[in-house]
Structure formats: C-alpha cells, structure tokens
Amino acid sequence: MGFAENRGDYWRGRYKIEPGKYGTVKDEYGKTIRFRTKRAAEKAAAVEEERALTASRATSAAAPERITFGDYASRWYEAQDLAASTMQNYRRHIEEHLLPQFEEAVVSEITKGEIDTWERGERARGYAASSIKTWRGTLHLILADAVDEDLRESNPATRRRGRGKRAGRSRSRGPEKVVTSALGVLLIAERAALLSGRDDEFVGVVAKGYTGMRWGEIVGLESEYVRPTAVRVEHQLYELDSGEMHRCPPKDDSYRTIDTPEWLARLLRGQGARAGDRPCNCHGLRYLFSGHAAANGAVQRPGAKLVDVARVAGVSTGTVSNVLNRPAAVADSTRTAVEQAIADLGYIRYWPSTENAPHWRRNGFATWLFQPAATGWYPKKAPQESRPVPLRADPWPGVPARGRGATQRAEASWVPIARGLTPHGLRHSHKTMMDELRTPPKLQDERIGHEDGSVQARYSHITPEMRQELMAGLTGMWEESLEVRRRMSPGSPVMVLDALLRAES
C-alpha cells in the first residue's frame, strides 16, 4: 500500500513496485512531487501503486514471443560485430554443440534441467570440462540477451556458486598441464626437425620454449620484427575454418618486445636467411616460418571445395566436417542442408595435392610433428591405429623411416620425452623456467603477454639488470642442455643442431 514519507519540509509519496523495490510519485517531467500534507502524499502514492499493479498484470498476461532457439541464435549471431576469430568460435559452439540439442526448443521454455542434461551428455561424449564450460558460456550469453529482449524472465544457463558437494568439483577438473625442461625442449625440437626433414621446426620449437610466445604469434612472426637482441610481437595469424590465415593483433592487444639471448638471436637470424625474401601469397609479407607439409590443394584442385560446401549450406567448415565424419552430432536440419550442398556441388573428398602450405597449421603441426616428437608415437588416425615412429637407428637419435613398408624396415623407435605435452605447453614450460630462475613477476608478465592490474604490479618496475639476469639464466639452461645432449651423441642429423654440438663449448 502507498505511504507518505516525511522529508523535513515536505512529504513525498512512495509506492511498492515489486518485492523490495519502491518508487516515488513524480510529475510528467520526472521530478519528485513535494506534497504539503501527509494525506495528499498518501492518496497520490495509492493511485500510482494501483497504476503500477495494473501495468504489471497486463505484462504478465501477455504471452512472450514463441521463438525457437535455432531462429533466435541465428538472429543473435548476425547482430554480433566482433573479431573474426571470436565470430568463428561462436559459430562453432552454436552449430556443433548447441543446435543439436536446442534448435527446436522454444527460448522461453528452455529449463535449467535441460541445460544440465545437455552438459552431462557432452561430458559423456568425452569432451573436456573446459570446452563444455566455454560452450555453456556461449549459451549463457545468448539467453542473457533473450532476457534483455523480454523473451524470458531469467537465464537458466546461469550456474549458481557453491552448489553441490565440494568433493564433487574435482570430477570435472581437467588434467594438470604438462611442462618440460630445457633439455626436453631441445630434444623435442630435434625430433620435430627430423620428422619434417628441415631446420625450421627445430628453431620454431626452441623459440617457443625460450620466449613463451603464443602459437599464433610464432606462426605470424614476420621477419622484420626479428631484432638483434629481441623479438617484437605486433601481429598473430589466426586460422579460420575457411582455411584463411587471418592476420590480427595479438591476444588482448598484448603488443610487446621479448628479449632474446645472443644464441637464440643467432638461431633466428639463420632462420631468416633460410626463409629468404619471398613473401607468402596470403598477405604478401615475409614470415620467419612457413608450412612444412602439403596444403589442402584448395588453390590447384578443380571442382568444389569444403569451404564452398560450407558457404552454400550456410554453415562453418567445421560443421561440414562433422557431417562427413560424425553425422549424429549434427542437427537433422543442418545435416540435410549440408548433404544437399554436397550433392548439388559434386564435392569429392580426399583430393590429392602437392602444394606446400605457406604457414604451419595448428592441427597438422601438433598431430604429425609435435606429438610424435614428444611421445615417440604417431596418433590414431583412421584407418590406422596409433603406432611408434619407425626409425633407422643410425645416426643417433634415429631418423624416421619413410614410404611403404617403413614399419617393417624400422630398427628402433623413440622413448617418450613428455607425454601429454602440447605446443601450448611450451608456453607453460617457459613460465616454469622463469620461476626456476626467480624472475620477477613483472618481467614474467611482460614476456608472456599478461597484464597484472593490481596495485602491487603498478608500483613494480623492470630494470636492465633484471633483463640481463634473465638472459644469463636462460643461456645457462641452454648451454647445460646442449652439453647433456653432446654427451648422448656428439652430432645430430639436424644440421643447425649439429653445428651447435660440434662447436667448442
């Protein structure tokens, strides 16, 4: 019920809008009305409260718009104006993980129980907890906007804090990040170069392990940003579903200059000389590193391509790939559209190609170079099961056997160096190296490309002596790993490493 509130020299009318929320009687210009008597304020407050109650009943009686999640998600996606990489990720989340479950569901009728059931189903399919959390985050964003548009009253994707038993939280905890030592970086880099048959991969893996650069920053490192004693991070290359390497700013605008020890600077200069002056055909720029294997033949191959199918069907290339390889994971309507596009275009899978890729591809590098180098095993890839890398035993540490019958001709295989290590794990490894060297946190954040917004960090500063001490420490780690490697064998089939091993220590 409306009431009057004494404000000293006047009364104002107050009325209830909803539980715990009250409004003040105002005039047509939005200014609080000052009543001379308590009675007048009470009468005006009662009138306003009745008016608010009537409006609330009318709103409650009006049925919300019955729009399906599929239609709303399409509308929502089209309204976004974000970086190409972010738009691609949202599209993948929606098409590959949200639409198969919620496409036909009415937005206003989706319940928290249905979302929890979907999440359990994704977990049962073997997806990582971190990935499921990301997809639920996208669902939360979409439904939050639906709430703002009055399509529903609350967001069922909101996760309540502190819900359930504390012990149960460990069930969805991801595995601990695997890191390696300075010697591990050296040995993995050597194996990666042996697998590719060139020095580029050796320099790339070592550079990543000793600078902590992100994958896209290493791939997008242009020759002009390699300085005599440092590397400047100005851009990264982000791989889109279309196969395009999108040149964009580093993550979180983490532009920075990373100091490099003299020995690493020499390796980078040598790599620059091998790369030459020829620009890539993607951006017309000179990059320090290039692709190691055949591209997908998109330039030379006649006929329809995967990206053409995606464009005609109005989906991402990842969704087309799912239709071809895991059709049950795609919504029926989406799968039908993709299959129709394949039929209309006459798309043919597995077309051979001899064209080299201008840049490393994340999945190809991790699958066929880094993982075998770190574990000694090629991964499972239908129709073949996982298998040891077949080697010719001489010269040490063994050279991968190639061609038909390689397994039968093998004389040895590699032992694991770091099972579970990923290219991104080298970034964690570099952070661990700096921890071992007692590097100040401010300098660590600068190299990694993180920003500490605390007051303590604001009053911390980096001195030349700190930089010199870190360079000396990293050099000591490198020289120690070289000496251990030299004791294993005085030479290497990798030319750039062989020269280092045979140089006077």
Side-chain angles (χ1 to χ4, degrees):
M1 182 175 179
F3 64 94
E5 184 179 69
N6 191 343
R7 303 297 292 175
D9 57 345
Y10 69 93
W11 296 83
R12 70 176 183 178
R14 298 278 284 167
Y15 59 95
K16 190 173 186 179
I17 299 175
E18 58 184 56
K21 186 174 181 180
Y22 291 84
T24 302
V25 178
K26 298 181 179 181
D27 62 18
E28 58 182 323
Y29 302 106
K31 295 182 64 175
T32 299
I33 299 177
R34 300 186 174 198
F35 297 95
R36 297 180 63 182
T37 65
K38 178 180 180 181
R39 177 64 177 166
E42 286 177 339
K43 290 180 65 177
V47 171
E48 287 297 326
E49 187 169 84
E50 180 63 27
R51 183 181 302 168
L53 181 61
T54 302
S56 175
R57 287 170 180 168
T59 301
S60 301
E65 182 182 355
R66 290 181 59 82
I67 180 174
T68 65
F69 179 82
D71 290 339
Y72 183 74
S74 297
R75 189 173 82 189
W76 178 89
Y77 181 85
E78 292 299 327
Q80 307 307 303
D81 184 18
L82 303 168
S85 57
T86 305
M87 295 298 290
Q88 172 179 280
N89 289 336
Y90 280 159
R91 185 164 190 166
R92 282 180 177 171
H93 303 167
I94 293 169
E95 292 179 352
E96 299 175 16
H97 301 283
L98 301 181
L99 290 185
Q101 178 72 22
F102 301 109
E103 183 172 18
E104 301 302 326
V106 176
V107 169
S108 60
E109 298 175 359
I110 296 175
T111 66
K112 182 180 183 300
E114 291 172 336
I115 294 174
D116 290 342
T117 299
W118 161 78
E119 186 172 330
R120 287 193 295 271
E122 295 294 275
R123 197 179 303 123
R125 294 185 182 93
Y127 291 115
S130 58
S131 298
I132 299 172
K133 181 179 179 181
T134 300
W135 304 331
R136 181 164 179 152
T138 301
L139 178 61
H140 185 277
L141 280 176
I142 296 171
L143 294 180
D145 284 352
V147 171
D148 290 343
E149 295 179 28
D150 295 325
L151 295 178
R152 57 176 303 127
E153 293 183 357
S154 61
N155 192 336
T158 300
R159 194 187 299 276
R160 291 175 59 185
R161 294 182 179 274
R163 182 81 174 182
K165 298 180 180 178
R166 294 185 62 85
R169 297 180 182 181
S170 62
R171 297 173 188 170
S172 59
R173 185 170 62 90
E176 183 179 0
K177 197 70 179 179
V178 177
V179 298
T180 191
S181 63
L183 178 60
V185 172
L186 174 61
L187 297 178
I188 291 170
E190 180 181 22
R191 289 182 179 182
L194 290 170
L195 287 162
S196 69
R198 61 181 194 169
D199 292 339
D200 302 46
E201 282 63 39
F202 178 84
V203 178
V205 171
V206 169
K208 198 170 192 323
Y210 278 87
T211 63
M213 293 171 69
R214 299 181 178 93
W215 168 257
E217 295 168 351
I218 283 282
V219 176
L221 179 57
E222 298 167 31
S223 299
E224 68 170 296
Y225 294 120
V226 178
R227 310 287 164 74
T229 60
V231 169
R232 177 66 187 170
V233 177
E234 280 288 333
H235 302 95
Q236 67 168 327
L237 289 183
Y238 190 92
E239 186 176 347
L240 300 177
D241 281 344
S242 63
E244 174 191 355
M245 299 298 284
H246 178 59
R247 184 172 179 260
C248 54
K251 184 178 179 181
D252 300 327
D253 289 334
S254 53
Y255 303 99
R256 62 198 187 279
T257 299
I258 304 175
D259 300 315
T260 54
E262 174 55 32
W263 60 267
L264 180 55
R266 286 197 301 269
L267 284 177
L268 295 175
R269 287 196 295 269
Q271 177 60 30
R274 285 188 295 273
D277 295 328
R278 182 181 179 183
C280 78
N281 55 16
C282 308
H283 317 99
L285 299 169
R286 289 178 54 211
Y287 289 93
L288 202 66
F289 300 106
S290 61
H292 72 280
N296 60 8
V299 175
Q300 299 174 344
R301 188 182 71 200
K305 310 169 186 64
L306 191 74
V307 65
D308 296 323
V309 175
R311 191 176 297 113
V312 170
V315 299
S316 69
T317 54
T319 300
V320 176
S321 179
N322 275 342
V323 170
L324 296 172
N325 299 295
R326 297 188 300 117
V330 183
D332 291 343
S333 59
T334 304
R335 184 171 65 251
T336 300
V338 171
E339 290 172 346
Q340 186 62 49
I342 290 173
D344 292 343
L345 295 172
Y347 171 73
I348 302 174
R349 301 178 71 183
Y350 307 124
W351 199 289
S353 171
T354 58
E355 178 196 4
N356 279 345
H359 303 286
W360 280 324
R361 299 287 178 176
R362 180 189 290 268
N363 185 58
F365 183 93
T367 302
W368 301 113
L369 291 181
F370 196 87
Q371 182 177 336
T375 66
W377 283 66
Y378 285 122
K380 179 179 179 180
K381 188 74 172 179
Q384 289 186 315
E385 296 294 323
S386 60
R387 61 203 185 281
V389 176
L391 302 175
R392 300 198 316 271
D394 189 54
W396 198 91
V399 178
R402 315 283 185 184
R404 188 184 300 274
T407 302
Q408 289 70 32
R409 291 184 283 105
E411 301 168 329
S413 60
W414 286 323
V415 297
I417 296 173
R419 292 188 186 277
L421 183 70
T422 64
H424 184 73
L426 292 180
R427 185 167 157 84
H428 289 251
S429 299
H430 183 63
K431 177 69 164 56
T432 304
M433 289 181 188
M434 292 192 288
D435 287 338
E436 291 178 358
L437 295 171
R438 304 294 190 269
T439 303
K442 184 80 171 182
L443 181 52
Q444 291 193 32
D445 288 341
E446 179 190 80
R447 289 180 71 82
I448 294 294
H450 288 167
E451 184 175 356
D452 185 347
S454 67
V455 173
Q456 180 179 357
R458 181 174 299 178
Y459 283 87
S460 298
H461 301 278
I462 301 169
T463 65
E465 290 75 19
M466 292 177 185
R467 298 183 188 279
Q468 293 169 8
E469 186 175 351
L470 175 57
M471 294 301 99
L474 293 176
T475 298
M477 287 182 164
W478 171 252
E479 291 177 346
E480 182 180 351
S481 66
L482 266 182
E483 181 55 35
V484 174
R485 172 60 183 81
R486 190 179 288 114
R487 291 198 295 267
M488 296 176 180
S489 177
S492 172
V494 178
M495 292 180 61
V496 65
L497 176 57
D498 188 66
L500 291 168
L501 293 172
R502 297 186 185 282
E504 293 184 2
S505 57

